[in-house]
Amino acid sequence: MSETLPFCKIKLQYLLEMVTDHDLDDNALRVALYLALAHADHETGESHPSFETIGAAIGKHAKSVKRALNKVEAAGYMTIERGTNKGKSSRYRPTETALKRATIRRREGDKIVPLSRAKGGHSCPQSRTGLSSKGGQDRPPNRKQELRKEHGRGGATDLPDEGQSGVPHDRHQLIFVPRGICFVRDWDDRLARVGMPPLERLLPSVRHGQHLGFWLPARTPAPLGSAKWEAQKVALEKMVRSAHDRRENAAPDPVSGSAFVPISMGTTRAKNG
């Protein structure tokens, strides 16, 4: 385990040793980084560019490069075999001590986060659950819920016996609005603004479940002047005309037992049947 690893495997740890050394100045660190990243041998880390080559790459004078290399050597990270002035460049090689420290740092890191060379990434077992690969839940159908969905898709039913038939299902969906709630007041306010009587005098009250109320084109009227409001108004007029046609003889109301005669659109008084 004491054998040093090839330089290519501990290059980052070797550089980290120098980066975290507070006694190494920036120029010395830049020179060492350039040699390790641009010229170092794959196995040994040895390099041999000239001072001029290093200086041109990092923007420093050759003399500044020489002083920086001396500092790296003095700090114990590199040995320098100085060349001559006859075209032989100096040779720079990481020290054995620095390589051993980098190897130890690498192996300690591998124990914390083991890496797989074949696949890459963290080497850890895949966690799985015992859930089925099939989505959703395996449960019996809820018949009541299905009926509610079908009722919602089909829209409100036509009410010929209540005097509100005549609105085709494919054009207008009727909504039941109970009496005495704010939605009825909203409709009454809108009808008053357009010169029409309230719902109580336009349409008969019908029973839906445990409540009395009205089947209307919508829960609340659309904004005045909009195309949607005009469509609601047309639907309401058809419902009133249908109620008038069916009760023109003032037949007793099946809910209240009293005679009901709808008021013509645009008037404010009921006709006496």
Side-chain angles (χ1 to χ4, degrees), residues 7-58:
F7 184 74
C8 62
K9 294 185 178 181
I10 57 175
K11 182 187 297 185
L12 295 179
Q13 289 75 15
Y14 171 73
L15 296 177
L16 183 60
E17 287 282 334
M18 288 187 285
V19 169
T20 56
D21 189 344
H22 297 176
D23 295 330
L24 203 62
D25 63 27
D26 292 343
N27 285 338
L29 181 60
R30 288 183 64 185
V31 171
L33 288 172
Y34 174 72
L35 291 177
L37 297 175
H39 294 278
D41 180 77
H42 190 72
E43 292 291 331
T44 64
E46 182 177 318
S47 59
H48 46 82
S50 64
F51 297 153
E52 289 76 11
T53 300
I54 300 173
I58 65 174

